[in-house]
Amino acid sequence: MNGIFLALAGMVVFFLGYRYYSRFIAERIYRLDPDYVTPAHRYKDGVDFVPTNKFILWGHHFTSVAGAAPIVGPAIAIYWGWGPAFLWVVLGTVFAAGVHDFGALVLSVRNKGQSVGTLANKIIGQRAKILFLFIILILVLMVNAVFAWVIANLFILFPSAVLSVFIQIPLAIWIGYLVYKKSKNMLLPSLAALATMYIAAIVASRVPALQIDLPRYFGGEENIVAFGLNGVAMAFFVWIVVLMIYVYIASTLPVWKLLQPRDYINSHQLILGLVILYLGLFFMGGAEMTAPVYNADATTPWFPLLFITIACGAISGFHGLVASGTSSKQLNKETDARFVGYLGAVGEGLLALLTIIAVGTFFATQGDFLSNYSSFAVAGDIGLGTFIQGAGQLAGGIFIPADIATTIVAVIVVSFAATSLDTAVRLMRYIISELGAEYKVQKLTKKHVATTVAVGSSAALALLPQGPQGFGSGGYLLWPLFGTSNQLLAGITLLLITLWLKYQGRNYLVTFIPMVFVLAMTLWAMARQLIFDWSGLGGAELNLLLFLLGSVIFVFACWICLEAYNAMRRSSQGPPKDQDASM
């Protein structure tokens, strides 16, 4: 199979999904109202609630939900062959992710911009809220710790990308000032900023003096710098500290000062990156998919694990947190929700599709692919690096030198991961504040106290325990729980939307069917991992931490399914008494 045919097939399905299916949902199911006063206007404060142009908000939403996950998941899942990964990315985006992200945004807007955690209390009940917030906190904490680890390591592996990433910050602040204080248009300054970043990347690729190479400054792996840390470990430690200081500042600033303009620049990065790589694929006359359609030799079964391995790029609970956490507070018109929510999911699907093609065409022969992707664990280790090299190979189709292409792809990946990181810290601050308000701990409702708790716990998880990827990878101790807890969150968010639609007397099958599928696959996968991977009964060694935490999440998942069943039965009697009147 030529990669071009795969790309065209996916694009056609995405186009039809956005053009027709999302319009049907917007007009017939969600019934968007252009005159509805959104929370961005009703509670406008210039910090979190800021009415925003839909193109700028799409940039924030899309780059926040994208992160590195729509690259990492498909780059690992292709271990089972490109066929299952392709079908789940394309169909999952159209019938699950788009509906989920779009619906979470509308539901939050119709409820004062509240998060899905708070809405669980309203729609399902107090008990559901407790376990829901527990799952959310575990999920966001893992994202913070692991994304910080990923960024720090990419800085070490690709020092030529660091200058561009740092240049973006003052440029974004300057653009925010121009737009909100001088009423200038954001498009041209953003394009100029992007051009500046890429010029810096090109120059840094060829001029070693412009590469911020901390391991070299610290004397490399052979030199012990301090506290028993060699040059590489010390560089990692310094990058983690720098990142945590950055996310503290970024997540407490008003959204218009840094978050919105930086994400808008990143959305251009993604569009330009997709255009470059897809054009590269077409201009080189396509490339054969040397990965098999289906890997019959895979020792780890794809069903149901595929559906928790590819989350972002198909459907992801983290998207519901962003949609109901930051995006809903910036939505200018309710009718913009289709463009921001559904098209954001489609953009991520395009990135996941490109990842499948870049990795699937990278190796010269099928034998090379199978020898490199020899096991599921190995796929997890090499997936991201293979994508960066494969993307660089595609960029060569339009005559971009490999070293420059690799640096630019690294800049894109780091920019996206940083966007997700500081959005996740901001979300964690909201959740901690909500818990503080719920349990009458007033100090936790303060912005800087909540942010300190969020950043401190994330840094501790990243740095203190020795993780499976070496020093500083403590987040990876919990990372095997990410797929199941993330998809469980997506299933519960679909449940909330389904109940809301049922209360309104509307057709709820559009969310009910993907909800049943996602919850079933997640519980099945979770039970399998508990028994065969972590309990010590399936041949693998006992992993007490994952077994205990996974068991708690599994019990909570079953519990919330029972709560959901009861809520569905109650819903025939009308909405709960504390339901917001605007619903």
Side-chain angles (χ1 to χ4, degrees):
M1 169 72 78
N2 193 308
I4 288 180
F5 296 119
L6 213 58
L8 289 176
M11 288 177 183
V12 168
V13 177
F14 289 150
F15 170 77
L16 294 175
Y18 180 70
R19 179 71 177 80
Y20 296 105
Y21 192 52
S22 73
R23 172 177 288 183
F24 165 75
I25 295 169
E27 295 177 355
R28 304 291 294 276
I29 306 296
Y30 294 151
R31 300 179 190 173
L32 303 186
D33 179 2
D35 298 322
Y36 183 80
V37 180
T38 63
H41 289 281
R42 187 178 299 175
Y43 307 110
K44 183 177 178 181
D45 62 3
V47 178
D48 296 319
F49 293 87
V50 180
T52 304
N53 176 283
K54 69 177 183 181
F55 295 100
I56 297 173
L57 184 56
W58 182 85
H60 157 68
H61 180 81
F62 174 40
T63 54
S64 294
V65 301
I71 296 171
V72 174
I76 296 172
I78 200 172
Y79 162 71
W80 292 300
W82 61 260
F86 172 79
L87 289 175
W88 175 229
V89 164
V90 172
L91 298 179
T93 294
V94 171
F95 295 108
V99 179
H100 168 274
D101 299 8
F102 184 10
L105 186 55
V106 173
L107 182 61
S108 177
V109 165
R110 286 278 169 166
N111 284 273
K112 307 175 184 177
Q114 292 173 328
S115 72
V116 287
T118 300
L119 293 174
N121 184 30
K122 281 187 173 183
I123 297 176
I124 303 180
Q126 176 68 19
R127 286 174 298 186
K129 178 183 178 181
I130 295 171
L131 63 92
F132 201 49
L133 287 180
F134 172 80
I135 295 169
I136 291 173
L137 278 177
I138 291 287
L139 181 71
V140 176
L141 191 59
M142 282 189 286
V143 167
N144 293 343
V146 172
F147 275 36
W149 182 90
V150 168
I151 296 171
N153 276 285
L154 287 175
F155 277 165
I156 291 172
L157 290 172
F158 303 100
S160 56
V162 178
L163 182 63
S164 295
V165 174
F166 276 77
I167 281 177
Q168 187 185 34
I169 296 172
L171 289 174
I173 293 173
W174 171 66
I175 292 170
Y177 173 79
L178 285 181
V179 172
Y180 286 94
K181 296 298 182 184
K182 299 294 182 182
S183 302
K184 302 290 185 183
N185 186 283
M186 189 178 282
L187 179 60
L188 290 179
S190 298
L191 293 175
L194 184 61
T196 305
M197 288 174 61
Y198 283 179
I199 290 171
I202 293 169
V203 174
S205 297
R206 300 296 170 85
V207 181
L210 295 178
Q211 299 176 7
I212 304 176
D213 191 354
L214 290 190
R216 180 162 57 87
Y217 299 159
F218 290 131
E221 196 168 358
E222 305 301 322
N223 185 45
I224 301 299
V225 182
F227 310 113
L229 300 178
N230 63 28
V232 176
M234 180 56 75
F236 176 84
F237 176 78
V238 170
W239 281 132
I240 290 290
V241 172
V242 169
L243 285 168
M244 290 300 156
I245 293 171
Y246 161 75
V247 294
Y248 186 99
I249 297 170
S251 62
T252 52
L253 284 175
V255 292
W256 62 267
K257 279 191 177 178
L258 175 61
L259 184 139
Q260 283 185 356
R262 187 211 48 204
D263 293 355
Y264 194 54
I265 297 171
N266 286 343
S267 68
H268 296 320
Q269 282 207 72
L270 179 71
I271 293 170
L272 183 61
L274 289 173
V275 169
I276 288 175
L277 298 179
Y278 276 115
L279 279 180
L281 174 67
F282 283 92
F283 273 84
M284 67 197 299
E288 284 299 315
M289 296 290 290
T290 52
V293 179
Y294 178 70
N295 183 5
D297 297 327
T299 53
T300 303
W302 68 275
F303 198 90
L305 297 181
L306 171 72
F307 305 104
I308 62 168
T309 302
I310 301 180
C312 298
I315 181 171
S316 163
F318 185 70
H319 296 193
L321 293 181
V322 175
S324 66
T326 55
S327 301
S328 64
K329 296 176 177 61
Q330 302 171 63
L331 196 72
N332 186 38
K333 291 184 178 179
E334 191 178 66
T335 44
D336 293 347
R338 176 188 171 213
F339 182 85
V340 174
Y342 198 98
L343 195 60
V346 169
E348 196 175 66
L350 279 170
L351 181 57
L353 175 62
L354 181 66
T355 302
I356 293 170
I357 296 171
V359 175
T361 58
F362 175 67
F363 297 99
T365 66
Q366 191 172 108
D368 289 343
F369 174 88
L370 293 174
S371 63
N372 280 276
Y373 272 68
S374 57
S375 70
F376 185 63
V378 171
D381 291 338
I382 69 171
L384 183 58
T386 305
F387 165 75
I388 291 176
Q389 295 178 74
Q393 183 171 277
L394 291 180
I398 52 175
F399 310 109
I400 297 178
D403 58 334
I404 292 175
T406 301
T407 297
I408 290 177
V409 172
V411 169
I412 293 173
V413 173
V414 170
S415 300
F416 279 23
T419 298
S420 293
L421 179 62
D422 66 52
T423 298
V425 171
R426 188 180 288 262
L427 291 171
M428 197 169 177
R429 164 165 70 85
Y430 294 161
I431 295 166
I432 292 170
S433 295
E434 285 183 13
L435 285 170
E438 178 72 25
Y439 294 104
K440 315 294 184 193
V441 184
Q442 290 303 314
K443 286 186 178 179
L444 289 180
T445 63
K446 306 296 183 186
K447 180 171 68 174
H448 289 287
V449 174
T451 306
T452 300
V453 173
V455 172
S457 57
S458 301
L461 181 59
L463 288 172
L464 293 182
Q466 180 76 21
Q469 309 286 337
F471 169 70
S473 63
Y476 277 93
L477 293 171
L478 302 179
W479 191 247
L481 291 169
F482 175 81
T484 47
S485 54
N486 187 47
Q487 299 307 67
L488 182 60
L489 187 59
I492 297 170
T493 301
L494 283 169
L495 166 67
L496 296 176
I497 305 167
T498 300
L499 285 169
W500 177 66
L501 291 173
K502 198 166 188 294
Y503 290 144
Q504 309 303 309
R506 301 175 194 171
N507 185 345
Y508 56 84
L509 288 179
V510 292
T511 53
F512 180 78
I513 293 172
M515 176 197 79
V516 170
F517 180 80
V518 170
L519 284 178
M521 291 302 103
T522 303
L523 291 176
W524 185 355
M526 190 178 288
R528 189 192 179 284
Q529 287 182 314
L530 281 173
I531 296 171
F532 295 107
D533 297 340
W534 304 328
S535 69
L537 300 175
E541 290 185 8
L542 169 67
N543 189 321
L544 192 60
L545 176 67
L546 291 180
F547 181 73
L548 291 177
L549 267 177
S551 298
V552 170
I553 293 175
F554 184 78
V555 170
F556 278 9
C558 294
W559 181 9
I560 205 165
C561 285
L562 291 174
E563 293 284 347
Y565 174 72
N566 289 329
M568 290 292 284
R569 291 181 59 191
R570 289 196 305 270
S571 66
S572 60
Q573 303 166 6
K577 291 181 180 178
D578 63 346
Q579 196 78 357
D580 184 84
S582 64
M583 293 174 68

